[in-house]
Amino acid sequence: QVQLVESGGGLVQAGDSLRLSCAASGRTFSNYAMGWFRQAPGKEREFVAGISRGGTMRLYADSVKGRFTISRDNAKITMYLQMNSLKPEDTAVYYCAGCVTVAGTCNQYHYWGQGTQVTVSS
């Protein structure tokens, strides 16, 4: 089992940028495809972005495409979410998640972090 810990959230103004980090431990990080999810108060958890084991395949929700960038550094066993041009509707708790896969991004996520709060004011 892998442990995931998010960090980097905070309170920012619309148009600002944040970079979230997800540090992993417990298993071989390079064997895991990863992703980011978010959940706003009173709303369902939604997919934000996914990344393959090697980092070459990336997938984004339409709502963040062009603004957010998912990446990973397997040497640092860390995944990142660079968030630019933040909007108030991006306000949510952001979770990192992972799965063991041999190819592509995750179809089902088995491991989850505790979440980090991102608040974007107008």
Side-chain angles (χ1 to χ4, degrees):
Q1 183 175 352
V2 65
Q3 291 184 313
L4 304 174
V5 180
E6 304 95 334
S7 62
L11 174 62
V12 298
Q13 293 184 333
D16 286 352
S17 297
L18 278 176
R19 188 173 76 159
L20 305 183
S21 298
C22 175
S25 63
R27 298 290 297 274
T28 303
F29 183 63
S30 60
N31 288 339
Y32 287 77
M34 304 290 295
W36 288 95
F37 290 76
R38 66 187 183 187
Q39 187 168 23
K43 296 184 178 180
E44 295 288 314
R45 183 178 61 193
E46 64 175 342
F47 172 80
V48 176
I51 190 167
S52 60
R53 294 184 302 145
T56 58
M57 182 180 295
R58 292 174 287 183
L59 181 66
Y60 298 95
D62 288 342
S63 59
V64 306
K65 190 173 297 183
R67 299 188 298 120
F68 291 9
T69 303
I70 189 171
S71 63
R72 66 190 295 163
D73 187 336
N74 288 347
K76 295 182 177 181
I77 55 173
T78 303
M79 178 182 64
Y80 305 96
L81 184 68
Q82 178 66 47
M83 304 185 294
N84 297 329
S85 301
L86 282 163
K87 304 174 181 179
E89 49 263 47
D90 295 318
T91 296
V93 176
Y94 283 72
Y95 299 90
C96 67
C99 71
V100 177
T101 185
V102 296
T105 55
C106 297
N107 296 122
Q108 183 175 356
Y109 291 85
H110 299 288
Y111 304 102
W112 297 84
Q114 85 291 343
T116 185
Q117 177 71 48
V118 173
T119 303
V120 185
S121 65
S122 59

